[in-house]
């Protein structure tokens, strides 16, 4: 591999972000090589990716699946080394020969490997917002200590990053305008939300995403998590971050300065744009995304958030204001509730009810280690799961 090429590890290569990252890399084989690909249990798709991109390592977090993949690799004479479990994820995320790490494992499962990449001083393309939501100050302290470059890949945070000039001062910012589409249920009558089935909640009008993230968009919990993430990434307090509805998903976010100037980042709703930006920064490369046709686009619409429709966003705002380890509790309760909804054990409107009930039972001070954070995560999951099982038995 030529020295000028950057070695990229993709944590979560079979998910939407991972697949889009591989598509961008495939356009620029002279600039980037795939060092490692990881997944949870998706043997077949990971095998296909390994044949196409020939990474040095492939990791399946499920160790039984890793053994199956290793057997298939051996039968086909592939050169890729197969690793398994959390240890394998940590190894490829921190490997000395890896330059960039795309952190795209969904949820709390991505915390340890993402932190391993940070602590190793990598360029971390952060698509796993939950890692920063859960670990907050510990995550940012690790960034400062290691000198890692953390570049946001969420379209909203990447947009904010692009609207901030080098050497910007927090005091210069009047407010950050964090846009959200409102999801597929923006116009659904409130009294009908209870009856929305998972396939409907996952049918986002603009974005192609995994089912968990799609439900988070429908509840706007994704915007709540992004609010917490923006607080840490840009060192801007909640009173200077405003969430607004923008149904077209063309303006990905904006920054307003003290002089009244507002900078906005616009583009098609396609994750290849922020991925290409993170890979090439401070340069630019072709992402494969078509140019916007403004004449066909017509007008751009904005509206305020209806908190009655989106109680999950309210809960995230309350958690950010309260601090401590409540963001960890919020994230864990949400992951459990969303999975229960996807499994059709609860209805759509039960999601915020369960999260709020778990939060009301939690009085958790700030954690001082990742082990403490993970223990809070485990306790919260048990509590949320217990509530769901009790409610399900009573039906």
């Amino acid at each position: 591999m030529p020295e000028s090429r950057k070695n990229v590890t993709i944590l979560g290569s079979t998910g939407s972000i991972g697949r889009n990252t591989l598509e961008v890399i495939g356009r620029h084989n002279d600039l980037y090589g795939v060092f490692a690909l990881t997944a949870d249990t998706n043997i077949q798709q990971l095998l296909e990716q390994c044949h196409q991109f020939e990474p040095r390592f492939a990791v399946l977090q499920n160790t039984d699946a890793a053994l199956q993949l290793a057997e298939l690799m051996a039968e086909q004479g592939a050169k890729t080394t197969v690793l398994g479990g959390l240890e394998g994820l940590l190894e490829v995320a921190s490997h000395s020969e890896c330059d960039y790490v795309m952190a795209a494992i969904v949820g709390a499962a991505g915390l340890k490997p993402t932190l391993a990449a940070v602590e190793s001083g990598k360029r971390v393309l952060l698509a796993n917002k939950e890692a920063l939501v859960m670990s907050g100050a510990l995550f940012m302290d690790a960034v400062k200590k290691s000198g890692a470059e953390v570049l946001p890949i969420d379209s909203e945070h990447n947009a904010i990053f692009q609207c901030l000039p080098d050497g910007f001062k927090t005091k210069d910012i009047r407010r950050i305008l964090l846009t959200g589409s409102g999801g597929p249920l923006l116009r659904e009558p409130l009294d009908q939300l209870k009856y929305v089935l998972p396939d409907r909640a996952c049918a986002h009008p603009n974005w192609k995403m995994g089912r968990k993230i799609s439900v988070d968009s429908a509840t706007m919990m994704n915007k709540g998590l992004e609010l917490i993430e923006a607080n840490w990434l840009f060192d801007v307090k909640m009173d200077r971050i405003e969430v607004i509805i923008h149904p077209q998903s063309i303006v990905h976010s904006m920054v307003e300065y003290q002089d009244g100037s507002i900078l906005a980042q616009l583009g098609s709703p396609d994750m290849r744009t922020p991925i290409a930006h993170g890979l090439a920064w401070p340069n630019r490369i072709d992402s494969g995304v078509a140019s916007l046709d403004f004449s066909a686009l017509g007008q751009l619409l904005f509206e305020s958030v209806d908190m009655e429709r989106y109680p999950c966003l309210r809960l995230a705002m309350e958690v950010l204001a309260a601090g401590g380890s409540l963001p960890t509790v919020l994230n864990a309760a949400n992951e459990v509730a969303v999975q229960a909804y996807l499994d059709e054990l609860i209805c759509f409107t039960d999601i915020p009810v369960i999260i709020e009930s778990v939060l009301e039972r939690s009085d958790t001070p700030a954690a001082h280690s990742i082990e403490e954070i993970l223990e809070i995560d485990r306790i919260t999951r048990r509590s949320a799961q217990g509530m769901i099982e009790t409610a399900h038995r009573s039906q």
Side-chain angles (χ1 to χ4, degrees):
M1 181 176 294
E3 270 187 37
S4 59
R5 293 174 81 196
K6 297 297 183 182
N7 284 332
V8 183
T9 286
I10 303 176
L11 302 174
S13 66
T14 60
S16 175
I17 296 293
R19 296 193 304 271
N20 277 305
T21 302
L22 287 171
E23 185 172 336
V24 175
I25 287 175
R27 291 175 168 271
H28 302 281
N29 290 319
D30 57 326
L31 299 176
Y32 310 103
V34 178
F35 181 74
L37 298 174
T38 86
D40 183 16
T41 59
N42 196 331
I43 297 172
Q44 189 56 45
Q45 190 170 359
L46 188 59
L47 180 64
E48 293 170 3
Q49 291 177 344
C50 288
H51 282 316
Q52 182 177 356
F53 291 94
E54 300 182 337
R56 181 168 170 185
F57 294 103
V59 185
L60 280 162
Q61 188 162 1
N62 182 286
T63 52
D64 290 338
L67 290 173
Q68 294 179 52
L69 180 62
E71 290 176 4
L72 290 170
M73 289 285 196
E75 290 172 4
Q76 298 174 18
K79 297 179 181 178
T80 299
T81 299
V82 178
L83 304 174
L86 177 61
E87 295 77 13
L89 291 176
L90 298 179
E91 180 175 342
V92 299
S94 60
H95 200 288
S96 61
E97 295 180 34
C98 166
D99 301 301
Y100 298 170
V101 174
M102 170 58 77
I105 296 175
V106 176
L111 175 58
K112 277 200 166 183
T114 301
L115 267 175
V118 167
E119 291 167 351
S120 301
K122 309 298 184 190
R123 171 176 289 192
V124 179
L125 309 181
L126 187 64
N128 170 258
K129 64 174 71 70
E130 294 90 346
L132 185 51
V133 167
M134 291 175 67
S135 59
L138 290 171
F139 189 101
M140 297 310 296
D141 286 346
V143 171
K144 292 174 185 175
K145 184 176 180 180
S146 69
E149 287 182 324
V150 175
L151 302 182
I153 300 302
D154 273 346
S155 60
E156 297 83 359
H157 298 92
N158 182 264
I160 295 164
F161 181 75
Q162 293 196 51
C163 292
L164 297 172
D166 290 341
F168 82 95
K169 297 178 177 60
T170 301
K171 67 178 180 61
D172 295 336
I173 297 174
R174 180 179 292 173
R175 58 179 176 159
I176 286 174
L177 296 158
L178 193 64
T179 60
S181 68
L185 307 178
L186 177 62
R187 309 301 179 199
E188 188 78 8
L190 289 175
D191 61 0
Q192 294 301 304
L193 288 175
K194 178 179 181 178
Y195 307 105
V196 171
L197 296 177
D199 284 349
R200 173 83 191 290
C202 292
H204 199 286
N206 304 330
W207 296 96
K208 294 179 181 179
M209 306 180 291
R211 287 172 71 79
K212 189 269 181 185
I213 299 173
S214 295
V215 174
D216 282 349
S217 177
T219 65
M220 282 196 80
M221 178 59 86
N222 70 326
K223 215 52 51 181
L225 298 177
E226 288 165 12
L227 186 73
I228 298 170
E229 185 181 9
N231 171 254
W232 288 111
L233 280 175
F234 307 114
D235 193 27
V236 175
K237 301 306 179 187
M238 188 178 70
D239 62 354
R240 286 196 283 167
I241 306 175
E242 181 180 340
V243 177
I244 56 173
I245 299 290
H246 171 52
Q248 295 107 320
S249 300
I250 297 298
V251 178
H252 297 297
S253 276
M254 298 173 275
V255 177
E256 181 179 8
Y257 290 91
Q258 294 293 353
D259 61 5
S261 300
I262 299 177
L263 300 186
Q265 190 267 338
L266 286 70
S268 297
D270 192 315
M271 287 306 298
R272 290 176 296 173
T273 296
I275 289 167
H277 179 264
L279 284 169
W281 184 83
N283 301 312
R284 301 275 180 170
I285 57 173
D286 174 35
S287 66
V289 178
S291 297
L292 280 175
D293 183 347
F294 282 93
S295 60
L297 183 62
Q299 59 184 333
L300 298 175
L301 304 175
F302 301 92
E303 57 192 84
S304 60
V305 179
D306 177 359
M307 288 299 181
E308 185 181 2
R309 179 177 294 277
Y310 300 110
C312 283
L313 177 57
R314 170 183 58 80
L315 292 173
M317 295 172 72
E318 291 172 358
V319 159
L320 179 56
S325 292
L326 286 178
T328 304
V329 175
L330 176 83
N331 181 71
N334 179 63
E335 288 192 25
V336 173
V338 169
Q339 188 57 55
Y341 170 66
L342 289 171
D343 292 338
E344 299 189 36
L345 298 176
I346 62 174
C347 66
F348 183 79
T349 50
D350 287 334
I351 295 173
V353 173
I354 290 165
I355 296 168
E356 187 159 24
S357 296
V358 173
L359 286 168
E360 287 173 350
R361 299 183 186 186
S362 302
D363 182 19
T364 309
H368 300 291
S369 69
I370 295 303
E371 288 68 29
E372 288 182 35
I373 288 170
L374 292 173
E375 180 61 19
I376 293 166
D377 179 81
R378 282 190 289 270
I379 291 170
T380 302
R381 287 172 189 274
R382 285 199 298 269
S383 176
Q385 194 63 50
M387 289 182 189
I388 291 165
E389 291 172 358
T390 299
H392 191 59
R393 284 195 298 268
S394 66
Q395 290 179 358

